[in-house]
Amino acid sequence: MLCDNCKERDAVVHLTRIVDNAVTQLHLCEKCAAAKGVETTLSVPQHPLGDILQAVQQQASSTSEDAAVCAFCGASARDFRATGRLGCPHCYDAMEQSLRELLRRLHGSSRHVGQRYDAPASHLVEKPDTLHDLRDRLRRAVDGEQFELAAELRDRIKALETETV
């Protein structure tokens, strides 16, 4: 569809006006729309300096954060941001600064000020249905013809039964 004003270029702006219950449609190209005061991509001046400054700022912040690489497993801070997982326990030491900053942004502080977890006493911890679970896993291993796993489970069941007797 050609521009209704210049009849030379394709219309990319479609104006619908309603005046006294009369509907009029005007199809304009970008230049004619800009001349009539309609904001288009041509009428908004592009400032490449702003884009350059933003790119430099992002690069400076990302290189300082991405510079942390674990010497043990080779995982980087960029990998952590992409997956949300660290590669190994040594990553905590290698990426300490960026992790502290992340915690500070998430929780308002990089120090834990809440309650401390106390593990229950070993005599209070029960083994709920451990023997039952092992027997169930043994049955499923036999049904699935995983005989090596079944033999291992059978031995564990026998060991538990001799413990309880």
Side-chain angles (χ1 to χ4, degrees):
M1 176 180 294
L2 290 178
C3 175
D4 290 340
N5 194 33
C6 68
K7 309 247 192 264
E8 294 175 3
R9 292 176 290 278
D10 286 335
V12 292
V13 177
H14 307 282
L15 295 175
T16 303
R17 293 187 187 182
I18 303 173
V19 178
D20 296 328
N21 291 331
V23 177
T24 59
Q25 290 188 340
L26 189 60
H27 308 284
L28 301 171
C29 66
E30 281 188 278
K31 285 186 179 181
C32 293
K36 290 196 179 275
V38 177
E39 246 184 63
T40 64
T41 56
L42 290 180
S43 64
V44 178
Q46 298 293 325
H47 297 287
L49 182 60
D51 296 337
I52 291 171
L53 290 174
Q54 185 178 8
V56 168
Q57 182 182 9
Q58 286 177 348
Q59 184 179 7
S61 66
S62 67
T63 53
S64 63
E65 291 175 3
D66 290 343
V69 175
C70 178
F72 189 78
C73 70
S76 68
R78 177 176 284 147
D79 297 336
F80 172 68
R81 278 200 310 277
T83 63
R85 295 183 177 170
L86 294 172
C88 69
H90 302 284
C91 290
Y92 290 95
D93 294 328
M95 299 177 210
E96 180 179 7
Q97 276 304 110
S98 58
L99 290 174
R100 283 189 187 278
E101 179 61 24
L102 175 67
L103 287 172
R104 189 192 60 72
R105 281 185 282 157
L106 288 175
H107 300 289
S109 174
S110 61
R111 288 191 61 197
H112 179 72
V113 292
Q115 296 179 355
R116 187 171 57 104
Y117 173 75
D118 291 325
S122 61
H123 68 279
L124 297 176
V125 178
E126 298 177 15
K127 296 179 183 177
D129 301 325
T130 304
L131 200 54
H132 177 69
D133 291 339
L134 287 174
R135 286 184 179 136
D136 186 45
R137 287 179 57 197
L138 174 63
R139 182 189 51 77
R140 284 185 279 145
V142 170
D143 289 345
E145 297 181 4
Q146 298 173 332
F147 300 116
E148 290 176 7
L149 176 62
E152 179 186 328
L153 291 170
R154 178 202 61 212
D155 296 340
R156 287 175 59 188
I157 290 171
K158 283 184 182 179
L160 276 176
E161 287 175 340
T162 57
E163 263 182 29
T164 57
V165 173

Coordinates of all heavy atoms in Angstrom, one line a residue, residues 4-80:
D4 N -0.6 7.8 1.3 CA -1.7 8.6 0.8 C -1.2 10.0 0.5 O -1.8 10.7 -0.3 CB -2.8 8.7 1.8 CG -3.5 7.3 1.9 OD1 -3.4 6.5 0.9 OD2 -4.2 7.1 2.9
N5 N -0.1 10.4 1.1 CA 0.4 11.8 0.9 C 1.3 12.0 -0.3 O 1.0 12.8 -1.2 CB 1.1 12.2 2.2 CG 1.3 13.7 2.2 OD1 0.5 14.5 1.7 ND2 2.4 14.1 2.8
C6 N 2.4 11.2 -0.4 CA 3.4 11.4 -1.5 C 3.1 10.4 -2.6 O 3.6 10.6 -3.7 CB 4.8 11.2 -0.9 SG 5.2 9.6 -0.4
K7 N 2.5 9.3 -2.4 CA 2.2 8.3 -3.4 C 3.4 7.7 -4.0 O 3.4 7.2 -5.1 CB 1.3 8.8 -4.5 CG 0.0 9.5 -4.0 CD -1.2 8.8 -4.4 CE -2.4 9.6 -4.1 NZ -3.0 9.4 -2.9
E8 N 4.5 7.7 -3.2 CA 5.8 7.2 -3.7 C 6.3 6.0 -2.9 O 6.8 5.0 -3.5 CB 6.9 8.3 -3.7 CG 6.6 9.4 -4.7 CD 7.7 10.5 -4.5 OE1 8.6 10.3 -3.7 OE2 7.5 11.5 -5.2
R9 N 6.3 6.1 -1.6 CA 6.8 5.1 -0.7 C 5.7 4.2 -0.1 O 4.6 4.6 -0.1 CB 7.7 5.7 0.4 CG 8.9 6.4 -0.2 CD 9.7 7.1 0.9 NE 9.0 8.3 1.3 CZ 9.1 9.5 0.7 NH1 9.8 9.6 -0.4 NH2 8.4 10.5 1.1
D10 N 6.1 3.0 0.4 CA 5.2 2.2 1.1 C 4.7 2.8 2.4 O 5.5 3.4 3.1 CB 5.8 0.8 1.5 CG 5.9 -0.1 0.2 OD1 5.2 0.2 -0.7 OD2 6.8 -0.9 0.2
A11 N 3.4 2.7 2.7 CA 2.9 3.2 4.0 C 3.2 2.3 5.1 O 3.0 1.1 5.0 CB 1.4 3.4 3.8
V12 N 3.8 2.8 6.2 CA 4.1 2.0 7.3 C 3.4 2.5 8.6 O 3.3 1.9 9.6 CB 5.6 2.0 7.6 CG1 6.3 1.3 6.5 CG2 6.1 3.4 7.8
V13 N 2.8 3.7 8.5 CA 2.0 4.3 9.6 C 0.6 4.4 9.2 O 0.3 5.0 8.1 CB 2.6 5.7 10.0 CG1 1.7 6.3 11.1 CG2 4.0 5.6 10.5
H14 N -0.3 3.9 9.9 CA -1.8 3.9 9.6 C -2.5 4.6 10.7 O -2.6 4.1 11.8 CB -2.3 2.4 9.4 CG -1.4 1.6 8.5 ND1 -1.6 1.7 7.1 CD2 -0.5 0.7 8.7 CE1 -0.7 0.9 6.6 NE2 0.0 0.3 7.5
L15 N -3.0 5.8 10.3 CA -3.8 6.6 11.3 C -5.2 6.5 11.1 O -5.7 6.5 9.9 CB -3.4 8.1 11.1 CG -1.9 8.5 11.5 CD1 -1.7 10.0 11.1 CD2 -1.6 8.2 12.9
T16 N -6.0 6.3 12.2 CA -7.4 6.3 12.1 C -8.0 7.4 12.9 O -7.7 7.6 14.1 CB -8.0 5.0 12.6 OG1 -7.4 3.9 11.9 CG2 -9.5 4.9 12.5
R17 N -8.7 8.3 12.3 CA -9.3 9.5 12.9 C -10.8 9.4 13.0 O -11.4 9.0 12.0 CB -8.9 10.8 12.2 CG -7.4 11.1 12.3 CD -7.1 12.4 11.8 NE -5.7 12.6 11.7 CZ -5.2 13.7 11.3 NH1 -5.9 14.7 10.9 NH2 -3.9 13.8 11.3
I18 N -11.4 9.7 14.1 CA -12.8 9.7 14.2 C -13.2 11.2 14.6 O -12.9 11.6 15.7 CB -13.3 8.7 15.3 CG1 -12.9 7.3 14.9 CG2 -14.9 8.8 15.4 CD1 -13.1 6.3 16.0
V19 N -14.0 11.8 13.7 CA -14.4 13.2 13.9 C -15.9 13.2 13.6 O -16.3 12.9 12.5 CB -13.7 14.2 13.0 CG1 -14.2 15.6 13.2 CG2 -12.2 14.1 13.3
D20 N -16.7 13.6 14.6 CA -18.2 13.6 14.5 C -18.7 12.3 13.9 O -19.5 12.3 12.9 CB -18.6 14.8 13.6 CG -18.3 16.1 14.2 OD1 -18.3 16.2 15.5 OD2 -18.0 17.1 13.5
N21 N -18.3 11.2 14.5 CA -18.8 9.9 14.0 C -18.4 9.5 12.6 O -18.9 8.6 12.0 CB -20.3 9.7 14.2 CG -20.6 9.6 15.7 OD1 -19.9 9.2 16.5 ND2 -21.9 10.1 16.0
A22 N -17.5 10.3 12.0 CA -16.9 10.0 10.7 C -15.5 9.4 10.8 O -14.7 10.1 11.4 CB -16.9 11.2 9.8
V23 N -15.3 8.2 10.3 CA -14.0 7.6 10.4 C -13.2 7.8 9.1 O -13.7 7.5 8.0 CB -14.2 6.0 10.7 CG1 -12.9 5.3 10.7 CG2 -15.0 5.8 11.9
T24 N -12.0 8.3 9.3 CA -11.1 8.5 8.2 C -9.8 7.8 8.5 O -9.3 7.8 9.6 CB -10.8 9.9 7.9 OG1 -10.2 10.5 9.0 CG2 -12.1 10.7 7.5
Q25 N -9.3 7.1 7.5 CA -8.0 6.4 7.6 C -7.0 7.0 6.7 O -7.2 7.4 5.6 CB -8.1 4.9 7.3 CG -8.9 4.2 8.3 CD -8.9 2.7 8.0 OE1 -8.6 2.2 6.9 NE2 -9.2 1.9 9.0
L26 N -5.8 7.2 7.3 CA -4.7 7.9 6.5 C -3.5 6.9 6.6 O -3.0 6.5 7.7 CB -4.4 9.2 7.2 CG -3.4 10.1 6.4 CD1 -3.9 10.5 5.0 CD2 -3.2 11.4 7.2
H27 N -3.0 6.5 5.5 CA -1.8 5.6 5.4 C -0.6 6.5 4.9 O -0.6 7.0 3.8 CB -2.1 4.5 4.4 CG -3.4 3.8 4.7 ND1 -3.5 2.9 5.8 CD2 -4.6 3.8 4.1 CE1 -4.8 2.5 5.8 NE2 -5.4 3.0 4.8
L28 N 0.4 6.5 5.8 CA 1.6 7.4 5.5 C 2.9 6.6 5.5 O 3.0 5.6 6.2 CB 1.7 8.5 6.5 CG 0.4 9.4 6.6 CD1 0.6 10.3 7.8 CD2 0.2 10.2 5.4
C29 N 3.8 7.1 4.7 CA 5.2 6.6 4.8 C 5.9 7.2 6.1 O 5.3 8.1 6.7 CB 6.0 6.8 3.6 SG 6.3 8.6 3.3
E30 N 7.1 6.8 6.4 CA 7.7 7.3 7.6 C 8.1 8.8 7.4 O 7.9 9.6 8.4 CB 9.0 6.6 7.9 CG 8.8 5.2 8.6 CD 10.1 4.6 9.0 OE1 10.7 3.9 8.2 OE2 10.4 4.7 10.2
K31 N 8.5 9.2 6.3 CA 8.9 10.7 6.1 C 7.6 11.5 6.2 O 7.6 12.6 6.8 CB 9.5 10.9 4.7 CG 11.0 10.4 4.7 CD 11.6 10.7 3.4 CE 13.1 10.3 3.4 NZ 13.8 10.6 2.2
C32 N 6.5 11.2 5.6 CA 5.3 12.0 5.6 C 4.7 12.0 7.0 O 4.2 13.0 7.5 CB 4.3 11.5 4.6 SG 4.8 11.7 2.9
A33 N 4.8 10.9 7.7 CA 4.3 10.8 9.1 C 5.1 11.7 10.0 O 4.6 12.4 10.8 CB 4.3 9.4 9.6
A34 N 6.4 11.7 9.8 CA 7.3 12.6 10.6 C 7.0 14.1 10.3 O 7.0 14.9 11.2 CB 8.8 12.3 10.3
A35 N 6.7 14.4 9.0 CA 6.4 15.7 8.6 C 5.0 16.2 9.2 O 4.9 17.4 9.6 CB 6.3 15.9 7.1
K36 N 4.1 15.2 9.5 CA 2.8 15.6 10.1 C 2.9 15.5 11.6 O 1.9 15.8 12.3 CB 1.7 14.6 9.6 CG 1.4 14.9 8.1 CD 0.1 14.2 7.8 CE -0.3 14.4 6.4 NZ -1.0 15.7 6.2
G37 N 4.1 15.2 12.2 CA 4.2 15.3 13.6 C 4.0 13.9 14.3 O 3.9 13.9 15.5
V38 N 3.9 12.9 13.5 CA 3.7 11.5 14.1 C 5.1 11.0 14.4 O 6.0 11.0 13.5 CB 2.9 10.6 13.2 CG1 2.8 9.2 13.7 CG2 1.6 11.2 12.9
E39 N 5.4 10.5 15.6 CA 6.7 10.0 15.9 C 6.9 8.7 15.3 O 6.2 7.7 15.4 CB 6.8 9.8 17.5 CG 7.8 10.7 18.1 CD 7.9 10.5 19.6 OE1 8.4 9.4 19.9 OE2 7.6 11.4 20.3
T40 N 8.0 8.6 14.6 CA 8.5 7.4 13.9 C 9.9 7.1 14.3 O 10.6 7.9 14.9 CB 8.3 7.4 12.4 OG1 9.2 8.5 11.9 CG2 6.9 7.7 12.0
T41 N 10.5 6.1 13.7 CA 11.9 5.8 14.0 C 12.8 6.9 13.3 O 13.9 7.2 13.8 CB 12.3 4.4 13.5 OG1 12.0 4.3 12.1 CG2 11.6 3.3 14.3
L42 N 12.3 7.5 12.2 CA 13.1 8.5 11.6 C 13.0 9.8 12.4 O 14.0 10.6 12.4 CB 12.6 8.8 10.2 CG 12.9 7.7 9.2 CD1 12.3 8.1 7.8 CD2 14.4 7.5 9.0
S43 N 11.9 10.1 13.0 CA 11.8 11.4 13.7 C 12.5 11.4 15.1 O 12.7 12.4 15.6 CB 10.3 11.7 13.9 OG 9.7 10.7 14.8
V44 N 12.8 10.2 15.6 CA 13.5 10.1 16.9 C 15.0 10.0 16.5 O 15.5 9.1 16.0 CB 13.1 8.9 17.7 CG1 13.9 8.8 19.0 CG2 11.6 9.0 18.0
P45 N 15.8 11.1 16.9 CA 17.2 11.0 16.5 C 17.9 10.0 17.3 O 17.7 9.8 18.5 CB 17.7 12.4 16.9 CG 16.7 13.0 17.9 CD 15.4 12.3 17.6
Q46 N 18.8 9.3 16.7 CA 19.6 8.3 17.3 C 20.9 8.9 17.8 O 21.6 9.6 17.0 CB 19.9 7.1 16.3 CG 18.7 6.4 15.8 CD 18.0 5.6 16.9 OE1 18.6 5.1 17.8 NE2 16.7 5.6 16.9
H47 N 21.3 8.6 19.0 CA 22.5 9.1 19.6 C 23.5 7.9 19.8 O 23.3 7.2 20.8 CB 22.3 9.8 20.9 CG 21.4 11.1 20.7 ND1 21.9 12.2 20.1 CD2 20.1 11.3 21.0 CE1 20.9 13.1 20.1 NE2 19.8 12.6 20.6
P48 N 24.4 7.7 18.9 CA 25.3 6.6 19.1 C 26.2 6.7 20.3 O 26.7 5.7 20.8 CB 26.1 6.6 17.8 CG 26.0 7.9 17.2 CD 24.7 8.5 17.7
L49 N 26.5 7.9 20.8 CA 27.3 8.1 22.0 C 26.7 7.4 23.2 O 27.4 6.8 24.0 CB 27.5 9.6 22.2 CG 28.5 9.9 23.4 CD1 29.9 9.3 23.1 CD2 28.6 11.4 23.6
G50 N 25.4 7.5 23.4 CA 24.7 6.9 24.5 C 24.9 5.4 24.4 O 25.1 4.7 25.4
D51 N 24.8 4.8 23.2 CA 24.9 3.4 23.1 C 26.4 2.9 23.4 O 26.6 1.9 24.0 CB 24.6 2.9 21.6 CG 23.1 3.2 21.3 OD1 22.3 3.3 22.3 OD2 22.8 3.3 20.1
I52 N 27.3 3.7 22.9 CA 28.7 3.4 23.2 C 29.0 3.4 24.7 O 29.7 2.5 25.2 CB 29.6 4.4 22.4 CG1 29.5 4.1 20.9 CG2 31.1 4.2 22.9 CD1 30.2 5.1 20.1
L53 N 28.5 4.5 25.4 CA 28.8 4.6 26.8 C 28.1 3.4 27.6 O 28.7 2.9 28.5 CB 28.3 5.9 27.3 CG 29.1 7.1 26.9 CD1 28.4 8.4 27.4 CD2 30.5 7.1 27.4
Q54 N 26.9 3.1 27.2 CA 26.3 1.9 27.8 C 27.0 0.6 27.6 O 27.2 -0.2 28.5 CB 24.8 1.8 27.3 CG 24.0 0.8 28.0 CD 22.6 0.7 27.5 OE1 22.3 1.3 26.5 NE2 21.8 -0.1 28.2
A55 N 27.5 0.4 26.4 CA 28.3 -0.8 26.1 C 29.6 -0.9 26.9 O 29.9 -1.9 27.4 CB 28.6 -0.9 24.6
V56 N 30.3 0.3 27.0 CA 31.5 0.3 27.8 C 31.2 0.0 29.3 O 32.0 -0.7 29.9 CB 32.2 1.7 27.6 CG1 33.3 1.9 28.6 CG2 32.7 1.8 26.2
Q57 N 30.2 0.6 29.8 CA 29.8 0.4 31.2 C 29.5 -1.1 31.4 O 29.9 -1.7 32.4 CB 28.6 1.3 31.6 CG 28.2 1.1 33.0 CD 27.0 2.0 33.4 OE1 26.4 2.5 32.5 NE2 26.7 2.0 34.7
Q58 N 28.7 -1.7 30.5 CA 28.3 -3.1 30.7 C 29.6 -4.0 30.6 O 29.7 -4.9 31.3 CB 27.3 -3.5 29.7 CG 25.9 -3.0 29.9 CD 25.0 -3.4 28.8 OE1 25.4 -3.8 27.8 NE2 23.7 -3.2 29.1
Q59 N 30.5 -3.6 29.7 CA 31.7 -4.4 29.5 C 32.6 -4.3 30.7 O 33.1 -5.3 31.2 CB 32.4 -4.0 28.2 CG 33.7 -4.8 27.9 CD 34.4 -4.4 26.7 OE1 34.0 -3.3 26.1 NE2 35.4 -5.1 26.3
A60 N 32.7 -3.1 31.3 CA 33.6 -3.0 32.5 C 33.0 -3.7 33.6 O 33.7 -4.4 34.4 CB 33.7 -1.5 32.8
S61 N 31.7 -3.7 33.8 CA 31.1 -4.4 35.0 C 31.1 -5.9 34.7 O 31.4 -6.7 35.7 CB 29.7 -3.9 35.2 OG 28.9 -4.3 34.2
S62 N 30.9 -6.4 33.5 CA 30.9 -7.8 33.3 C 32.3 -8.4 33.3 O 32.4 -9.5 33.7 CB 30.2 -8.1 31.9 OG 30.9 -7.6 30.8
T63 N 33.3 -7.7 32.8 CA 34.6 -8.2 32.8 C 35.2 -8.4 34.2 O 35.9 -9.3 34.5 CB 35.6 -7.4 32.0 OG1 35.5 -6.0 32.4 CG2 35.3 -7.5 30.5
S64 N 34.8 -7.4 35.1 CA 35.3 -7.6 36.5 C 34.6 -8.7 37.2 O 35.2 -9.4 38.0 CB 35.1 -6.3 37.2 OG 33.7 -6.0 37.3
E65 N 33.3 -8.9 36.9 CA 32.6 -10.1 37.5 C 33.0 -11.4 36.8 O 33.0 -12.4 37.5 CB 31.1 -9.8 37.4 CG 30.6 -8.7 38.3 CD 29.2 -8.4 38.1 OE1 28.5 -9.1 37.3 OE2 28.7 -7.5 38.7
D66 N 33.2 -11.4 35.5 CA 33.4 -12.6 34.8 C 34.9 -13.0 34.9 O 35.2 -14.1 34.5 CB 33.1 -12.4 33.3 CG 31.6 -12.3 33.0 OD1 30.8 -12.7 33.9 OD2 31.2 -11.8 32.0
A67 N 35.8 -12.2 35.5 CA 37.2 -12.5 35.6 C 37.4 -13.7 36.5 O 38.4 -14.4 36.5 CB 38.0 -11.3 36.0
A68 N 36.5 -13.9 37.5 CA 36.6 -14.9 38.5 C 36.4 -16.3 37.8 O 35.4 -16.6 37.3 CB 35.7 -14.8 39.6
V69 N 37.5 -17.1 37.9 CA 37.4 -18.5 37.3 C 38.0 -19.4 38.4 O 39.1 -19.1 38.9 CB 38.2 -18.6 36.0 CG1 38.3 -20.0 35.5 CG2 37.6 -17.7 35.0
C70 N 37.3 -20.5 38.6 CA 37.8 -21.5 39.6 C 39.0 -22.2 39.0 O 38.9 -22.8 37.9 CB 36.7 -22.5 39.9 SG 37.2 -23.8 41.1
A71 N 40.1 -22.3 39.7 CA 41.3 -22.9 39.2 C 41.2 -24.5 39.3 O 41.9 -25.2 38.6 CB 42.5 -22.5 40.1
F72 N 40.3 -24.9 40.1 CA 40.1 -26.4 40.3 C 39.3 -27.0 39.2 O 39.7 -28.0 38.5 CB 39.5 -26.7 41.6 CG 39.5 -28.1 42.0 CD1 40.6 -28.8 42.5 CD2 38.3 -28.9 41.9 CE1 40.6 -30.1 42.8 CE2 38.3 -30.2 42.2 CZ 39.4 -30.8 42.7
C73 N 38.1 -26.4 38.9 CA 37.2 -27.0 37.9 C 37.0 -26.2 36.6 O 36.5 -26.7 35.6 CB 35.8 -27.3 38.5 SG 34.8 -25.8 38.8
G74 N 37.5 -24.9 36.6 CA 37.4 -24.1 35.5 C 36.1 -23.4 35.3 O 35.9 -22.7 34.3
A75 N 35.2 -23.5 36.2 CA 33.9 -22.8 36.1 C 34.1 -21.3 36.3 O 35.0 -20.9 37.1 CB 32.9 -23.3 37.1
S76 N 33.4 -20.5 35.6 CA 33.5 -19.0 35.7 C 32.2 -18.4 36.3 O 31.2 -19.1 36.4 CB 33.8 -18.4 34.3 OG 32.6 -18.5 33.5
A77 N 32.3 -17.1 36.6 CA 31.2 -16.4 37.1 C 30.1 -16.4 36.1 O 28.9 -16.4 36.4 CB 31.6 -15.0 37.6
R78 N 30.5 -16.3 34.8 CA 29.5 -16.3 33.7 C 28.7 -17.6 33.7 O 27.5 -17.6 33.5 CB 30.2 -16.0 32.4 CG 29.2 -16.1 31.2 CD 29.9 -15.7 29.9 NE 30.1 -14.3 29.9 CZ 31.1 -13.7 29.3 NH1 32.0 -14.4 28.7 NH2 31.2 -12.4 29.3
D79 N 29.4 -18.7 33.9 CA 28.8 -20.0 34.0 C 27.8 -20.0 35.1 O 26.7 -20.6 35.0 CB 29.8 -21.1 34.2 CG 30.7 -21.3 33.0 OD1 30.4 -20.8 31.9 OD2 31.9 -21.8 33.2
F80 N 28.2 -19.5 36.3 CA 27.3 -19.4 37.4 C 26.0 -18.6 37.1 O 24.9 -19.0 37.5 CB 28.0 -18.9 38.6 CG 27.1 -18.6 39.8 CD1 26.6 -19.7 40.5 CD2 26.8 -17.3 40.2 CE1 25.7 -19.4 41.6 CE2 26.0 -17.1 41.3 CZ 25.4 -18.2 42.0

